[in-house]
Amino acid sequence: GNFGLGYMSAGGTDIAYTGKNSDNEIYSTGSFNYDSALVKGVYQFSLTPRVHAGVAIDYYSNSLGVTYGSGLNADFGLLTSLGNTDFSLILKNVVRGSSLHYSESESEILPFQVVLGLSQRVYDVTLYGQYRSVESQNQPLLSAGLQYQPGYLPMIQLFGSVKQYYSLDVPASTYALGMGLNLGAINFDYAYQKDDNIAYSNSNYFSMSYSF
């Protein structure tokens, strides 16, 4: 088997507190910061040469101004490969009823999720599809993606995708475009994403990884 450790974080600074005066004018009364982090410990093992499984322990932490919350849960996943086709199943937050507990005696349920994935390789193109069901939402989310890796220039990859996400509990959609460059042990990736965030509607991501 294989062990893994991951860390992900996101946040924002100088988010405005607002008020409204007698003339219905909105004004700033101060600001606060937001931070969200996830630490994940993973163990992956193979059931057969074609079927692989993994389990993960997740530690969540959120801070919003002076309010702080944290909690634990677990995930389980399966992956099977049949020639040029891969199927995957992920069960997220399998400990039902587990919550983030906040410093002001409030709590937030970590919803159980089911994620089904499919990928199909056709020559230099790989097609991706995903179905996500979230316990607390009535409508599932759908995503699709495409990767092109030309056989005559295998160090380059081109990506495109469309996905749905929840915006105030209502499914919305966005798209992303990207490319990757593989230089042996070093990989560079760039992605552009468009969404409905008024302040940050055009997002650019760049990453570099080193394999050893």
Side-chain angles (χ1 to χ4, degrees):
N2 300 289
F3 290 94
L5 182 66
Y7 173 78
M8 293 172 281
S9 67
T13 60
D14 296 326
I15 303 170
Y17 287 112
T18 59
K20 184 182 292 187
N21 60 25
S22 58
D23 295 324
N24 286 327
E25 296 175 333
I26 297 175
Y27 61 95
S28 174
T29 61
S31 65
F32 64 96
N33 297 335
Y34 167 75
D35 289 292
S36 178
L38 168 63
V39 179
K40 184 183 289 282
V42 182
Y43 177 66
Q44 178 271 326
F45 54 97
S46 297
L47 299 173
T48 73
R50 292 181 176 272
V51 180
H52 313 281
V55 293
I57 302 298
D58 304 322
Y59 174 76
Y60 298 88
S61 65
N62 287 336
S63 64
L64 187 65
V66 297
T67 302
Y68 175 80
S70 62
L72 285 170
N73 215 302
D75 305 332
F76 173 77
L78 282 174
L79 172 67
T80 181
S81 299
L82 301 173
N84 292 325
T85 305
D86 294 335
F87 299 92
S88 65
L89 165 67
I90 302 175
L91 305 178
K92 296 179 63 66
N93 300 325
V94 295
V95 182
R96 308 294 287 273
S98 179
S99 303
L100 290 174
H101 299 283
Y102 287 91
S103 52
E104 297 182 351
S105 300
E106 298 291 335
S107 63
E108 177 185 358
I109 294 290
L110 294 168
F112 175 68
Q113 301 181 39
V114 177
V115 184
L116 298 173
L118 169 68
S119 71
Q120 176 67 51
R121 291 176 292 280
V122 182
Y123 298 106
D124 295 341
V125 175
T126 304
L127 304 173
Y128 299 92
Q130 186 187 87
Y131 170 93
R132 178 188 297 266
S133 175
V134 181
E135 183 179 32
S136 57
Q137 303 290 341
N138 293 325
Q139 293 181 263
L141 300 177
L142 302 176
S143 301
L146 180 149
Q147 172 188 308
Y148 174 59
Q149 186 174 12
Y152 59 87
L153 203 61
M155 67 178 62
I156 291 179
Q157 296 174 322
L158 301 176
F159 309 97
S161 69
V162 291
K163 73 171 185 177
Q164 291 183 311
Y165 63 97
Y166 293 115
S167 177
L168 300 177
D169 295 330
V170 177
S173 61
T174 183
Y175 68 87
L177 300 170
M179 68 175 299
L181 178 63
N182 183 351
L183 299 177
I186 302 177
N187 294 286
F188 299 93
D189 288 284
Y190 165 78
Y192 165 83
Q193 178 174 293
K194 181 74 174 180
D195 59 40
D196 61 0
N197 187 310
I198 296 175
Y200 307 102
S201 60
N202 298 289
S203 299
N204 296 274
Y205 304 91
F206 177 79
S207 65
M208 181 182 71
S209 64
Y210 177 75
S211 302
F212 57 90

